[in-house]
């Protein structure tokens, strides 16, 4: 049984239950309780606002992972007039954790790709909980190259906890395919709009997450490592994920502030899963707007802009180069001992 | 050019290694113990074997300075961008102090050293990652220095040799470190389009975000014997599949067998292999 109520929603859910009970009671006994119900509904509305206006990063992560959160295929069916799904990477197999195809966005043909989580246990097994293998990423790249060939914009939906961490994924080059995808997508000569709809899990998200316009849902997250993984490294305690979510700066507003995403798309009150149609409308509007703007730019210029966009990400300081000692050691010419410097042959202290 | 082995003759002049910095069983640091086979070797002898165990062939990690010294022609190295230092962009707990401690302990400013030099007389742009600097993790500075190196190489049409080693992205810089994967890969794409050779050398260990970006994008990918090469950490995989991983999983030999790299080259043959590759890619007179 999947728990659909998040901890911080409990007071709200209990209140909603009480309202429901009063309604039933009023109906059964034919007693007018409309005043009491209205008061409680007002209270519920206030509580809902209070909760969702003050979400902590960890609460957002939980919302992003909510089992009822709309998936890529849900959005595809709500946003596009038509969708023809295409399958396979032409090399190994069809990975269900990545979906893609050709769609019509308000009459304009576009290529759509995205990670796909299952909506129940059975689906999740088929889709590997939305965690792609290398062939999934290869399929996404194939479809993007096809979009380039036919001058179609690309829409990429990202909702993935991470690339699948398995033996076969390693054997088939998970790291290599992610690198290849990023390299190829960085120079794809057609416009790309990325929508981070739920989880933006590290390299597994970035492999289909490079584009000209990045949109991010209000309660989605994007991070170099999962909060659990960060907590395990930092405090040797994966259960401190809540604190890790705070320090990682992984929310949509953080991404906007850091210059990673262009636009944060507001979610309906109570988050995307409470109003799928409403959420889809907001995404659709933003997609149409973005593609209208981008499709006027010549492909070569788009690629230049995309490079410039990636190129400026990062923060560092520049100080006077004071490394003469290092240069001397490095130029020693083939002598490991003389070049050892202060670090020395450390052996394998870090393994 | 002198024979490669001659470069290591008669260099027993002095030792600058601080004894305490050597991982050995002996307090005076005269001896080093092999991580793999446990063999005790006179440290100076180990160094003259390029920090490769005589008994089992285990390749110890090298510092950036050591790698440059045994790879480039003597006196040819000129460093780039040494003044780029990490900020603390997301004010991550303990990061500023960790950086300072690491700088003190290693004498390095960051986890990658970049510059130019010659190998067997052939000019190269070279980058070397140093695992002793926060596991050679990639943050903003590593990403920036690598991207600048690729850009310089693209402009000057000089081949790139990158000695990779890394535990992955630098968590302490949050998503900015993740995005360095995109920045460096995009810079690789431009180098590639300019038709300039890029040789990536994967040393122990090359993993996660660095493997999933520029390390995997070489025209030619070489690995040192026994190097750990993989995207996901072994502990995470074992927790996922609830099984022990077989020995040799994610080794250089394993990824060669699975078609992910071109060749495994022992440390003592690395320089001449690189020189041969550079010679074979020397730009001919570009007529028309
Ligand atoms: Zn040994």
């Amino acid at each position: 049984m999947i728990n659909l109520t998040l901890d911080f929603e409990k007071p709200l859910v209990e209140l909603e239950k009480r309202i429901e009970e009063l309604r039933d009671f009023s109906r059964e006994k034919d007693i007018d309780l409309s005043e009491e119900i209205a008061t409680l509904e007002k209270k519920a509305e206030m509580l809902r606002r209070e909760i969702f206006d003050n979400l902590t990063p960890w609460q957002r992560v939980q919302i992003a992972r909510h089992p009822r959160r709309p998936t890529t295929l849900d959005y595809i069916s709500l946003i596009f007039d038509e969708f023809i799904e295409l399958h396979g990477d032409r090399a190994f197999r069809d990975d269900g954790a990545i979906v893609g195809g050709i769609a019509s966005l308000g009459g304009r043909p576009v290529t759509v790709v995205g990670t796909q989580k299952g909506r129940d246990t059975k689906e999740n097994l088929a889709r590997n909980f939305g965690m792609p293998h290398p062939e999934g990423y290869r399929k996404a790249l194939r479809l993007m190259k096809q979009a380039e060939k036919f001058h179609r914009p690309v829409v990429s939906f990202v909702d993935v906890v991470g690339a699948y961490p398995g033996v076969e994924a390693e054997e088939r080059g998970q790291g290599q395919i992610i690198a290849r995808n990023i390299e190829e997508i960085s120079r794809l000569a057609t416009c790309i709009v990325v929508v981070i709809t739920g989880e933006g899990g590290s390299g597994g998200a970035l492999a289909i997450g490079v584009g000209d316009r990045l949109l991010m849902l209000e309660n989605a997250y994007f991070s170099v490592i999962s909060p659990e993984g960060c907590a395990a490294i930092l405090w040797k305690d994966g259960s401190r994920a809540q604190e890790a979510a705070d320090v990682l700066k992984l929310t949509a507003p953080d991404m906007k502030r850091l210059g990673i995403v262009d636009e944060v798309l507001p979610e309906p009150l109570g988050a995307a899963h409470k109003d799928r149609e409403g959420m889809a409308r907001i995404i659709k509007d933003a997609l149409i707007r973005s593609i209208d703007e981008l499709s006027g730019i010549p492909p070569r210029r788009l690629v230049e802009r995309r490079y410039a966009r990636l190129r400026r990400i990062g923060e560092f300081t520049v100080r006077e180069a004071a490394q003469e000692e290092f240069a001397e050691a490095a130029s020693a010419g083939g002598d490991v001992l003389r070049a050892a410097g202060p670090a020395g042959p450390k052996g394998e202290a870090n393994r | 050019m002198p024979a490669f082995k001659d470069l290591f003759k008669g260099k027993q002049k002095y030792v600058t290694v601080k004894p305490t910095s050597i991982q050995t069983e002996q307090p005076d640091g005269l001896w080093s113990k092999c991580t793999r086979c446990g063999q005790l070797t006179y440290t100076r002898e180990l160094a003259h074997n390029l920090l490769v165990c005589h008994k089992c062939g285990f390749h110890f990690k090298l510092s950036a300075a050591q790698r440059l010294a045994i790879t480039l022609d003597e006196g040819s190295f000129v460093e780039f961008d040494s003044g780029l230092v990490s900020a603390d962009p997301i004010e991550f707990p303990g990061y500023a102090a960790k950086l300072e401690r690491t700088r003190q302990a290693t004498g390095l400013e960051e986890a990658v050293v970049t510059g130019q030099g010659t190998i067997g007389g052939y000019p190269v742009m070279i980058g070397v990652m140093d695992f002793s600097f926060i596991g050679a993790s990639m943050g903003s500075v590593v990403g920036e220095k690598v991207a600048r190196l690729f850009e310089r190489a693209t402009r000057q049409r000089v081949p790139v040799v990158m000695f990779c080693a890394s535990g992955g992205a630098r968590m302490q810089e949050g998503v900015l470190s993740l995005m360095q994967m995109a920045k460096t890969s995009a810079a690789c794409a431009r180098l590639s389009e300019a038709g300039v050779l890029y040789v990536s050398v994967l040393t122990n260990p090359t993993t996660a975000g660095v493997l999933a970006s520029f390390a995997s994008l070489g025209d030619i990918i070489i690995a040192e014997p026994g190097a750990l090469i993989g995207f996901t950490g072994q502990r995470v995989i074992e927790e996922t599949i609830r099984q022990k991983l077989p020995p040799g999983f994610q080794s250089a030999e394993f990824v060669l067998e699975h078609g992910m790299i071109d060749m495994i080259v022992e440390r003592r043959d690395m320089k001449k292999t690189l020189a041969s590759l550079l010679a074979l890619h020397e730009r001919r007179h570009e007529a028309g």
Side-chain angles (χ1 to χ4, degrees):
Chain A
M1 181 62 202
I2 306 168
N3 181 17
L4 298 173
T5 305
L6 302 172
D7 278 350
F8 59 88
E9 288 183 305
K10 268 184 191 146
L12 182 62
V13 172
E14 270 158 29
L15 197 55
E16 281 168 342
K17 218 167 98 191
R18 251 178 67 206
I19 294 170
E20 228 21 69
E21 282 165 4
L22 273 186
R23 277 215 184 91
D24 290 348
F25 184 78
S26 145
R27 232 184 342 261
E28 276 166 32
K29 310 277 174 188
D30 202 15
I31 306 168
D32 182 17
L33 293 170
S34 55
E35 220 168 281
E36 288 84 345
I37 291 171
T39 311
L40 283 182
E41 274 180 336
K42 213 168 150 193
K43 204 173 149 196
E45 179 68 13
M46 274 169 62
L47 186 59
R48 194 174 291 124
R49 285 216 172 275
E50 198 190 306
I51 291 171
F52 284 91
D53 286 350
N54 297 290
L55 291 171
T56 66
W58 177 241
Q59 288 168 343
R60 288 189 198 271
V61 170
Q62 290 173 288
I63 292 173
R65 293 172 176 173
H66 196 285
R68 286 282 174 272
R69 192 155 176 93
T71 67
T72 296
L73 284 175
D74 294 327
Y75 286 128
I76 286 175
S77 68
L78 290 167
I79 290 171
F80 302 100
D81 322 321
E82 195 187 352
F83 175 62
I84 299 171
E85 187 172 355
L86 302 174
H87 293 274
D89 69 334
R90 301 295 188 267
F92 187 69
R93 85 177 173 128
D94 185 41
D95 187 345
I98 293 264
V99 293
I102 312 167
S104 166
L105 175 67
R108 182 202 296 268
V110 297
T111 285
V112 184
V113 298
T115 47
Q116 180 63 38
K117 291 181 180 172
R119 284 163 285 199
D120 53 45
T121 310
K122 191 171 157 243
E123 247 187 59
N124 257 324
L125 289 175
R127 303 222 177 256
N128 198 33
F129 295 83
M131 291 181 282
H133 280 73
E135 54 271 23
Y137 291 118
R138 201 177 298 116
K139 164 166 134 184
L141 183 60
R142 177 178 80 83
L143 297 177
M144 289 192 190
K145 297 284 252 183
Q146 191 182 74
E148 180 184 51
K149 176 174 176 180
F150 296 106
H151 313 288
R152 285 194 290 265
V154 174
V155 176
S156 179
F157 290 102
V158 178
D159 178 17
V160 58
V161 65
Y164 183 62
V167 172
E168 293 182 337
E170 291 293 316
E171 288 175 344
R172 299 201 284 272
Q174 192 72 283
Q176 288 77 5
I177 194 68
I178 293 172
R180 183 64 59 201
N181 269 34
I182 298 171
E183 183 187 37
E184 294 293 337
I185 296 168
S186 79
R187 61 177 166 190
L188 197 80
T190 191
C191 75
I192 308 161
V193 182
V194 176
V195 193
I196 305 172
T197 60
E199 299 188 85
S202 194
L206 197 60
I208 57 161
V210 170
D212 302 299
R213 179 71 51 96
L214 263 72
L215 312 173
M216 185 163 175
L217 269 52
E218 187 184 344
N219 295 315
Y221 78 89
F222 192 27
S223 183
V224 63
I225 187 169
S226 70
E228 290 87 349
C230 175
I233 293 172
L234 209 54
W235 303 297
K236 314 270 173 260
D237 181 0
S239 69
R240 290 171 72 181
Q242 188 164 349
E243 290 161 75
D246 283 335
V247 304
L248 280 168
K249 305 283 191 293
L250 44 63
T251 68
D254 289 326
M255 291 309 119
K256 181 86 171 76
R257 200 165 44 247
L258 290 165
I260 308 296
V261 307
D262 301 281
E263 210 178 315
V264 177
L265 304 181
E267 295 190 20
L269 187 58
H273 60 282
K274 294 284 183 194
D275 179 7
R276 289 157 180 258
E277 289 76 16
M279 189 70 252
R281 264 196 307 279
I282 291 169
I283 298 173
K284 183 176 181 175
D285 287 349
L287 284 177
I288 290 173
R289 209 165 2 94
S290 301
I291 289 173
D292 278 348
E293 277 172 45
L294 293 168
S295 57
I297 304 169
R300 270 185 59 187
R301 174 99 191 91
L302 267 180
V303 171
E304 284 304 313
R305 277 174 38 142
R306 200 179 301 145
Y307 185 70
R309 175 196 177 92
L310 294 174
R311 193 61 191 78
R312 65 172 174 262
I313 298 175
E315 276 183 41
F316 50 86
T317 54
V318 183
R319 75 175 171 219
E320 286 294 303
Q323 288 223 299
E324 282 145 33
E325 250 177 70
F326 178 83
E328 198 180 300
S331 299
D335 191 321
V336 170
L337 284 184
R338 275 212 283 147
K346 286 178 82 82
E348 300 299 285
N350 291 300
R351 280 296 300 278
Chain B
M1 198 184 105
F4 181 73
K5 62 180 184 348
D6 296 338
L7 289 171
F8 301 95
K9 276 187 181 160
K11 298 262 181 174
Q12 290 180 313
K13 287 166 206 148
Y14 60 94
V15 180
T16 56
V17 181
K18 285 180 195 155
T20 50
S21 68
I22 308 172
Q23 288 283 309
T24 64
E25 304 238 295
Q26 307 293 321
D28 65 358
L30 277 171
W31 296 86
S32 294
K33 189 182 179 193
C34 175
T35 317
R36 190 200 278 159
C37 74
Q39 173 78 6
L40 280 173
T41 312
Y42 193 37
T43 299
R44 190 178 297 182
E45 257 174 50
L46 187 65
H48 280 278
N49 201 36
L50 307 180
L51 300 191
V52 176
C53 175
H54 288 86
K55 193 174 169 205
C56 74
F58 180 76
H59 283 51
F60 284 75
K61 292 188 184 77
L62 293 183
S63 72
Q66 289 169 337
R67 180 71 69 177
L68 288 165
I70 65 165
T71 305
L72 293 177
D73 301 334
E74 188 162 352
S76 71
F77 182 65
V78 178
E79 192 177 359
F80 300 145
D81 304 314
S82 63
L84 297 195
V85 289
S86 290
D88 185 6
I90 62 167
E91 291 168 0
F92 197 91
Y95 184 39
K98 190 183 186 83
L99 281 170
E100 198 44 51
R101 265 201 321 275
T102 308
R103 285 184 195 121
Q104 294 292 331
T106 61
L108 293 165
E109 292 289 342
E110 252 301 333
V112 70
V113 176
T114 58
Q116 65 179 29
T118 59
I119 296 176
Y122 298 99
V124 287
M125 298 289 175
I126 189 164
V128 180
M129 304 186 79
D130 192 317
F131 198 78
S132 63
F133 198 99
I134 317 186
S137 52
M138 174 159 63
S140 297
V141 171
V142 170
E144 181 70 18
K145 286 173 88 167
V146 169
R148 286 188 186 189
L149 187 74
F150 283 123
E151 287 174 343
R152 231 184 268 254
T154 306
R155 281 197 303 274
Q156 298 180 22
R157 308 184 72 80
V158 173
V160 176
V161 173
M162 182 69 70
F163 282 90
C164 304
S166 183
R170 191 169 298 166
M171 178 181 80
Q172 293 88 342
E173 293 187 22
V175 77
L176 292 182
S177 63
L178 177 68
M179 295 307 290
Q180 302 310 309
M181 291 168 64
K183 180 157 126 184
T184 53
S185 299
C188 278
R190 290 161 83 93
L191 181 78
S192 180
E193 281 184 358
V196 179
L197 174 69
Y198 167 32
V199 181
S200 171
V201 185
L202 312 184
T203 72
N204 187 35
T206 299
T207 64
V210 166
L211 182 70
S213 59
F214 62 89
S216 289
L217 297 174
D219 298 298
I220 293 163
I221 305 178
I222 301 174
E224 281 200 327
L228 176 76
I229 297 164
F231 177 64
T232 306
Q234 302 202 346
R235 192 183 46 78
V236 174
I237 297 176
E238 286 182 339
E239 280 169 12
T240 306
I241 63 171
R242 297 196 186 89
Q243 280 176 42
K244 275 265 168 233
L245 289 165
F249 182 71
Q250 293 181 327
S251 65
E253 295 72 18
F254 174 93
V255 293
L256 178 72
E257 189 189 321
H258 285 93
M260 298 304 151
I261 60 173
D262 290 289
M263 57 183 132
I264 294 172
V265 174
E266 285 183 31
R267 192 169 285 165
R268 59 166 182 209
D269 297 327
M270 190 65 77
K271 182 170 177 168
K272 70 178 176 211
T273 303
L274 292 172
S276 298
L277 287 171
L278 291 165
L280 291 166
H281 288 81
E282 202 183 7
R283 299 191 88 77
R284 308 273 159 212
H285 295 291
E286 280 164 14

